[in-house]
Amino acid sequence: MGNKHAIGLIDSGVGGLTVLKEALKQLPNENLIYLGDTARCPYGPRPADQVIEFTRQMTQFLVQKNIKLLVIACNTATAVALDVIRQEVAIPVVGVILPGTRAAVKTTQNHQVAVIGTEGTIKSASYQKAIQSKMPNVKVYSLACPKFVSLVESNQFLSPVAKKVVAETLLPLQYSGMDTLILGCTHYPLLRPIIQNVVGSQVHLIDSGAETVGEVSVLLDYFEIANSIDNKTPNYEFYTTGSTKMFDEIANEWLDNISVKSKHVDLERD
Ligand code: DGL
């Protein structure tokens, strides 16, 4: 039988689609509903209180659609709002920071780990605290990359401009000796080839999104809410608070197996 209610995913924009792409691969029988708050993106420079309120509004929108589990597919929102949202809703809520941390701790050989993210995520020191609570002898280098999100949201993530911006921004990590780099923002996997090229092939990149879906899968089994394997044609819905045209362009380029036609939603009015 299974539980046919959808899994909800939220992000400030298109970044969480990197998590959804993994969900399509790892959870092929699950119905998915995605909401990107593109109109208010970026969340990175915003005060924590505001990010919490926006995350709450997105959560309420999806809870009204009867989702069975929520993924906060945004590091900035996970950093400040995960605990609050968990207290406010009756369904399991998964963030992206702990799964990425676990993967980094398992991967590093030389105990030099770097994390890149938005200003909000880096300021919260969430990765640093999480890594050091699991492995105190790890040296963590943290770097905010405020220009990366707009490169992705404006669909320029493979452009020459993106190459230049990524190379310049990552300069401070050049002599860090890191062997593991956490992409601590769900927008960054779209820049992955460029980032990998800049840091060199010897550095392992950790995509928190991919790790997160592994955790979702475990929780679906634990709460016995996984959909049954005979759900061969799962349903996917996409919502954005911004332009559906731009959202669909990026989503269709990034998600090669499905066709995305998003709907506009106005969260402040709802
Ligand atoms: N994708 C988001 C994250 O993982 C946030 C980007 C932003 O809105 O600044 O942090």
Side-chain angles (χ1 to χ4, degrees), residues 189-232:
L190 287 113
L191 293 162
R192 186 180 184 127
I194 299 179
I195 295 173
Q196 187 78 70
N197 196 32
V198 168
V199 297
S201 56
Q202 75 289 355
V203 177
H204 295 277
L205 300 189
I206 304 289
D207 172 351
S208 313
E211 306 301 330
T212 302
V213 176
E215 182 154 322
V216 169
S217 177
V218 171
L219 284 177
L220 291 176
D221 289 341
Y222 178 81
F223 289 106
E224 298 182 354
I225 51 173
N227 218 345
S228 69
I229 51 166
D230 52 358
N231 187 33
K232 301 277 186 232

Side-chain angles (χ1 to χ4, degrees), residues 57-267:
Q57 290 171 6
M58 287 199 284
T59 302
Q60 280 162 0
F61 176 81
L62 290 186
V63 165
Q64 279 164 18
K65 297 204 166 288
N66 274 325
I67 55 165
K68 61 183 173 187
L69 182 146
L70 176 70
V71 182
I72 304 186
C74 172
N75 289 264
T76 313
T78 299
V80 297
L82 178 64
D83 293 341
V84 180
I85 300 296
R86 273 191 176 146
Q87 280 169 19
E88 293 178 353
V89 297
I91 52 172
V93 184
V94 180
V96 278
I97 291 181
L98 263 189
T101 300
R102 278 195 208 107
V105 167
K106 262 193 246 154
T107 304
T108 186
Q109 300 282 318
N110 72 358
H111 296 172
Q112 310 277 320
V113 174
V115 52
I116 53 176
T118 66
E119 295 119 297
T121 300
I122 297 303
K123 206 164 106 198
S124 75
S126 300
Y127 274 103
Q128 187 156 355
K129 288 180 206 151
I131 292 169
Q132 283 169 342
S133 74
K134 295 196 181 306
M135 219 186 227
N137 60 344
V138 172
K139 171 95 181 98
V140 182
Y141 302 89
S142 304
L143 180 68
C145 304
K147 293 186 179 159
F148 287 10
V149 169
S150 59
L151 288 172
V152 174
E153 289 287 333
S154 59
N155 204 358
Q156 292 187 80
F157 50 91
L158 297 172
S159 68
V161 182
K163 284 187 190 153
K164 188 167 175 285
V165 170
V166 170
E168 281 170 8
T169 310
L170 297 184
L171 266 182
L173 296 177
Q174 202 177 13
Y175 301 111
S176 64
M178 62 178 171
D179 69 351
T180 304
L181 172 63
I182 303 175
L183 306 180
C185 171
T186 53
H187 282 73
Y188 297 177
L190 287 113
L191 293 162
R192 186 180 184 127
I194 299 179
I195 295 173
Q196 187 78 70
N197 196 32
V198 168
V199 297
S201 56
Q202 75 289 355
V203 177
H204 295 277
L205 300 189
I206 304 289
D207 172 351
S208 313
E211 306 301 330
T212 302
V213 176
E215 182 154 322
V216 169
S217 177
V218 171
L219 284 177
L220 291 176
D221 289 341
Y222 178 81
F223 289 106
E224 298 182 354
I225 51 173
N227 218 345
S228 69
I229 51 166
D230 52 358
N231 187 33
K232 301 277 186 232
T233 50
N235 194 37
Y236 305 126
E237 288 175 49
F238 294 86
Y239 296 89
T240 171
T241 58
S243 147
T244 52
K245 187 171 175 283
M246 184 62 113
F247 184 95
D248 292 353
E249 260 172 42
I250 300 172
N252 284 310
E253 187 166 337
W254 180 246
L255 308 169
D256 19 56
N257 294 333
I258 60 167
S259 167
V260 174
K261 204 161 171 16
S262 62
K263 293 186 191 128
H264 179 83
V265 57
D266 193 341
L267 287 181

